[in-house]
């Protein structure tokens, strides 16, 4: 079997555009009126902020005129007016912040749920490990990059809206107060010359800032990737702390963590150099901004063409206008951060969509897993392959009836691949797997999953705590040989850390006895036991699960007498495979 040739490459739209297309569904969801209402309220509150800024501008003008005229009455009136502006500013700002953060969280919740729906469906969280693409650290992309992308996007849009409204409002103010600048030696004048200077000042600053800050986008993207790698590496060390301690691997883990941090340091330094030019320029640009318009308009004030209040209003309007025009350069770092996170989110989403498309594409070599009409498990022309297309096994035909006891042994790669294929985790290959209809199936891996929480919850998993009675739980614990854990049912702990592997495997078997499924697939779930303990536990399984079908992967020949059939899967070289036999007999050699 050869993997199908890839389709012709298509020019995909930029990742940022794909992210916008993905998240547009949020604004058109079933809650669209609530979401759009919050967005409209934010727009109105932003307009209110701009209105207050305009009010402050005229208040400042009147204040300096009152000071110039030494009018105590006007000063007292302006003081009372300022208190009203102060209260309204605080109120609008508080409501604006609350609505903005609600919308950011709601959008993040929606997008997180969207990606979790794909990630946790059809074992994609498992299959992504074996597929190529830009989806490293998917947990970090879902938890952190979605947060950054949604928070930054809303913040940037609102700041852009504010800047545009300020731009439109203060152009008019600056035109009205700046007057005209005569050109020496001519009768010509430049009307609204401060507006022109504001555009030139901000335009020059933006162009220079964009040129200086160009390296920042790539540096930020790279830094977020290596930061995620460091978090993942440290989490992996924490999760495997017992094994590392037993093997005295702290030195290697420390060196690996140092290497990961060295990558972070290099990424940090690159981002520092990216920031260096833009921050240095921005500092000088911002320092000159308050002084520049006063120096330019001062001759008109000295000549008596404008009052002190008009001079200060012109200077403030100039600052507001240039700040609005400088929005791109002021938000370059945040834009880079938002874009990098959005790209990481959409890359993960696209790779999960690709998995979904391949699963539903009949041209692809995929194992067809569906339900049988009867009460038997059937494998029809089943071939197993690695994710890269290398064939592991070809054309396996097998039928297992309800109630049979089958021992599976042979090559570990093949046996585990078959186990995962029946579980729906291993789609690589072709052929059919027909599962018995309407019958419960449980897969017991070598190391059972024990979620954090109470022991009772771990035993009831995936059902909620309290699904089984205490009497049934205690009976299952007793049968599995861990009755000593019964007093700890209500205790919460990290059970996969505090218990040895043998106790964990016994808990997995106790959970299996509680659920009492019709079909049981067991993957070396007693390999931590000694020979006598393994035989004793196998006898318990056969006694307590009467009527259930047991398919057990084991490489211990001492268990063969418990089973009515034996399936041996073996490979002997690169070009020849040992096929499967339903009987406990040697496998036949076959040329593929």
């Amino acid at each position: 079997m050869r993997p199908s040739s890839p389709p012709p490459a298509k020019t995909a739209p930029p990742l940022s555009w794909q992210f916008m297309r993905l998240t547009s569904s949020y604004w058109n969801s079933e809650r669209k009126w609530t979401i759009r209402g919050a967005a409209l309220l934010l727009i109105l509150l932003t307009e209110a902020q701009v209105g207050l800024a305009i009010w402050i501008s005229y208040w400042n003008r009147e204040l300096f005129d009152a000071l110039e005229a030494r009018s105590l009455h006007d000063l007292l009136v302006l003081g009372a007016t300022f208190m009203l502006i102060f209260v309204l500013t605080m109120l609008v700002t508080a409501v604006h912040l609350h609505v903005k953060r609600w919308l950011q969280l709601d959008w993040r919740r929606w997008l997180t749920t969207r990606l979790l729906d794909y990630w946790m469906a059809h074992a994609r969280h498992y299959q992504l490990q074996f597929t190529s693409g830009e989806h490293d650290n998917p947990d970090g992309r879902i938890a952190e990059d979605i947060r950054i992308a949604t928070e930054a996007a809303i913040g940037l849009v609102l700041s852009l809206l504010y800047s545009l409204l300020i731009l439109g409002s203060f152009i008019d103010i600056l035109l009205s107060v700046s007057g005209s600048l005569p050109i020496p030696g001519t009768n010509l004048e430049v009307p609204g010359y401060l507006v022109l200077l504001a555009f030139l000042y901000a335009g020059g600053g933006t162009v220079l800032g964009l040129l200086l800050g160009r390296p920042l986008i790539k540096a930020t993207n790279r830094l977020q990737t290596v930061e995620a790698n460091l978090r993942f590496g440290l989490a992996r060390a924490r999760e495997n702390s017992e094994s590392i301690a037993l093997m005295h691997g702290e030195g290697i883990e420390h060196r690996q963590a140092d290497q990961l941090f060295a990558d972070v340091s290099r990424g940090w330094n690159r981002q520092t150099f990216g920031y260096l030019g833009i921050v240095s320029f921005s500092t000088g640009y911002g320092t000159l901004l308050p002084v520049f318009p006063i120096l330019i308009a001062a001759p008109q004030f000295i000549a008596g063409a404008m009052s002190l209040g008009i001079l200060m209003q012109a200077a403030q309007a100039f600052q507001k206008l240039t700040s609005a025009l400088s929005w791109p350069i002021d938000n370059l770092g945040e834009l880079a951060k938002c874009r990098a996170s959005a790209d990481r989110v959409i890359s993960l989403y696209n790779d999960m969509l690709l998995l979904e498309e391949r699963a539903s594409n009949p041209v692809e070599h995929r194992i067809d897993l569906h339900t049988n009409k009867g009460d038997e498990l059937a494998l029809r022309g089943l071939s197993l392959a690695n994710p890269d297309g290398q064939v592991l096994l070809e054309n396996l035909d097998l039928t297992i009836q309800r109630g049979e006891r089958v021992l599976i042994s042979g090559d570990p790669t093949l046996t585990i691949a078959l186990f995962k294929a029946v579980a729906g985790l291993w789609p690589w290959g072709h052929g059919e797997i027909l599962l018995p209809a309407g019958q419960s199936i449980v897969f017991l891996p070598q190391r059972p999953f024990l979620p954090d929480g109470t022991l009772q919850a771990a035993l009831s998993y995936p059902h909620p705590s309290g699904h089984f009675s205490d009497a049934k739980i205690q009976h299952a614990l007793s049968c599995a040989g861990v009755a000593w854990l019964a007093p700890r049912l209500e205790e919460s702990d990290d059970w996969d850390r505090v218990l040895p592997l043998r106790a964990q495997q016994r808990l997995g078997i106790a959970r299996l006895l509680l659920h009492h499924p019709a079909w049981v697939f067991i993957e070396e779930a007693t390999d931590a036991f000694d020979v006598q303990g393994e035989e004793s536990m196998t006898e318990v399984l056969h006694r307590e699960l009467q009527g259930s079908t047991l398919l057990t992967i084991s490489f211990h020949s001492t268990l063969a007498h418990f089973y009515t059939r034996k399936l041996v899967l073996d490979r002997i070289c690169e070009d020849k495979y040992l096929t499967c036999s339903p009987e406990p007999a040697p496998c036949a050699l076959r040329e593929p």
Side-chain angles (χ1 to χ4, degrees):
M1 182 187 68
R2 296 179 181 273
S4 59
S5 58
K10 297 181 180 179
T11 303
L15 292 179
S16 300
W17 176 254
Q18 295 180 50
F19 179 80
M20 292 174 62
R21 189 167 58 187
L22 165 64
T23 55
S24 64
S25 300
Y26 169 71
W27 307 96
N28 296 298
S29 63
E30 63 278 0
R31 298 172 51 249
K32 60 184 178 182
W33 295 118
T34 301
I35 296 166
R36 293 176 184 178
L40 177 61
L41 180 57
L42 271 178
I43 293 173
L44 295 175
L45 289 168
T46 303
E47 291 178 347
Q49 289 178 325
V50 173
L52 288 168
I54 295 172
W55 194 358
I56 281 287
S57 173
Y58 282 99
W59 183 87
N60 270 319
R61 172 177 171 173
E62 294 176 5
L63 173 65
F64 282 101
D65 283 342
L67 291 174
E68 187 178 28
R70 292 180 171 82
S71 173
L72 181 59
H73 175 269
D74 291 344
L75 191 62
L76 293 174
V77 172
L78 287 169
T81 304
F82 179 77
M83 291 304 300
L84 177 60
I85 297 174
F86 178 76
V87 171
L88 289 176
T89 300
M90 290 182 60
L91 180 62
V92 170
T93 302
V95 177
H96 186 278
L97 178 65
H98 176 75
V99 177
K100 182 182 77 170
R101 288 181 63 83
W102 178 90
L103 190 59
Q104 287 172 327
L105 180 62
D106 194 66
W107 191 15
R108 178 188 176 187
R109 181 188 296 112
W110 178 88
L111 188 53
T112 300
T113 302
R114 182 76 176 267
L115 263 69
L116 283 176
D117 287 344
Y118 276 93
W119 192 45
M120 287 296 181
H122 308 296
R124 292 192 190 102
H125 57 91
Y126 176 80
Q127 295 170 11
L128 275 174
Q129 303 175 62
F130 303 96
T131 57
S132 59
E134 293 292 330
H135 51 251
D136 57 287
N137 303 319
D139 51 331
R141 293 173 186 247
I142 294 173
E144 185 68 9
D145 286 304
I146 287 179
R147 179 190 66 80
I148 294 173
T150 52
E151 288 183 6
I154 290 178
L156 287 168
V157 168
L158 289 175
S159 66
L160 177 60
L161 174 63
Y162 180 82
S163 296
L164 291 174
L165 292 173
I166 286 289
L167 181 64
S169 302
F170 280 86
I171 281 180
D172 183 63
I173 293 175
L174 197 55
L175 282 172
S176 66
V177 299
S178 62
S180 300
L181 179 67
I183 301 178
T186 68
N187 293 325
L188 301 177
E189 294 183 340
V190 180
Y193 69 99
L194 285 179
V195 174
L196 178 61
L197 286 176
F199 273 90
L200 291 175
Y201 188 92
T206 299
V207 171
L208 287 174
L210 290 174
L211 291 175
L212 291 171
R214 181 176 294 178
L216 189 60
I217 295 178
K218 290 184 178 179
T220 300
N221 194 359
R222 173 62 182 166
L223 180 59
Q224 287 181 229
T225 298
V226 294
E227 289 277 14
N229 291 340
L230 176 62
R231 290 193 300 269
F232 179 81
L234 294 176
R236 183 193 59 81
R238 174 180 56 81
E239 292 169 357
N240 297 279
S241 58
E242 181 180 348
S243 300
I244 293 170
L246 291 174
M247 298 180 68
H248 304 289
E250 290 86 354
I252 292 178
E253 295 299 324
H254 194 291
R255 286 193 293 273
Q256 290 178 346
D258 287 342
Q259 291 174 1
L260 291 172
F261 191 80
D263 290 339
V264 172
S265 298
R266 285 189 289 271
W268 180 271
N269 290 333
R270 286 180 187 146
Q271 191 187 50
T272 298
F273 284 116
Y275 272 121
L276 188 61
I278 189 66
V279 170
S280 300
F281 172 75
S282 298
T283 301
Y285 178 88
T287 302
L288 181 60
L289 181 58
V291 180
F292 182 76
I294 295 178
L295 295 176
I296 295 297
Q300 286 182 286
F301 170 71
I302 294 173
M306 62 171 58
S307 66
L308 179 62
I310 293 177
L311 173 65
M312 300 310 295
Q313 186 182 29
Q316 186 187 53
F318 186 93
Q319 293 180 52
K320 288 285 188 181
L321 187 57
T322 51
S323 295
L325 291 170
S326 302
W327 183 88
I329 190 63
D330 292 339
N331 292 278
L332 186 61
E334 194 70 7
L335 282 167
K337 191 176 179 181
C338 180
R339 178 179 174 181
S341 291
D343 288 354
R344 286 171 56 81
V345 171
I346 200 63
S347 295
L348 173 62
Y349 180 74
N350 286 343
D351 287 345
M352 291 191 293
L353 282 184
L354 186 60
L355 277 178
E356 184 181 41
E357 291 172 5
R358 287 177 176 174
S360 59
N361 187 357
V363 178
E364 291 277 353
H365 290 291
R366 312 290 284 185
I367 296 172
D368 186 11
L369 183 69
H370 53 88
T371 303
N372 194 356
K373 293 182 179 179
D375 60 352
E376 61 185 21
L377 170 68
L379 311 179
R380 297 288 182 260
L382 179 64
S383 294
L384 299 174
N386 281 330
D388 61 5
Q390 179 188 5
V391 177
L392 301 175
L393 180 71
E394 285 189 319
N395 299 323
L396 173 61
D397 290 292
L398 182 68
T399 301
I400 299 175
Q401 302 293 336
R402 170 73 185 272
E404 287 194 74
R405 308 295 167 95
V406 182
L407 180 64
I408 304 174
S409 62
D411 183 85
T413 302
L414 290 177
T415 55
I416 301 304
L418 178 62
F419 179 89
K420 293 176 180 177
V422 176
L425 303 181
W426 197 268
W428 300 285
H430 63 83
E432 289 184 305
I433 298 178
L434 307 176
L435 300 176
Q439 299 182 27
S440 57
I441 302 176
V442 167
F443 296 86
L444 184 61
Q446 184 178 30
R447 189 173 192 130
F449 174 60
L450 300 174
D452 295 343
T454 65
L455 183 60
Q456 185 181 58
L459 288 168
S460 300
Y461 188 87
H463 297 298
S465 179
H467 183 79
F468 300 102
S469 66
D470 289 346
K472 288 185 177 181
I473 291 177
Q474 291 178 6
H475 175 72
L477 291 175
S478 177
C479 290
V482 281
W484 54 275
L485 286 173
R488 304 185 63 185
L489 284 176
E490 299 301 325
E491 291 185 24
S492 295
D493 211 332
D494 296 334
W495 302 108
D496 57 348
R497 299 181 185 279
V498 301
L499 296 177
L501 178 58
R502 183 178 300 182
Q504 292 181 44
Q505 289 188 337
R506 288 184 181 275
L507 281 178
I509 291 171
R511 183 164 58 195
L512 178 65
L513 298 179
L514 280 172
H515 288 76
H516 204 290
W519 291 74
V520 182
F521 291 79
I522 303 174
E523 176 201 347
E524 299 182 84
T526 56
D527 66 335
F529 296 15
D530 55 25
V531 175
Q532 183 178 359
E534 190 171 29
E535 289 195 8
S536 175
M537 189 54 60
T538 304
E539 184 178 355
V540 168
L541 287 171
H542 284 253
R543 183 186 71 243
E544 294 293 325
L545 297 177
Q546 293 184 12
S548 299
T549 307
L550 297 182
L551 296 94
T552 303
I553 294 176
S554 179
F555 304 102
H556 298 165
S557 58
T558 56
L559 301 179
H561 65 280
F562 287 102
Y563 298 89
T564 57
R565 301 176 67 182
K566 186 176 182 181
L567 178 64
V568 181
L569 305 175
D570 274 324
R571 294 184 295 169
I572 59 173
C573 65
E574 292 181 0
D575 300 321
K576 298 179 181 180
Y577 303 90
L578 287 176
T579 59
C580 306
S581 168
E583 301 299 331
C587 295
L589 183 64
R590 180 181 68 83
E591 294 286 342

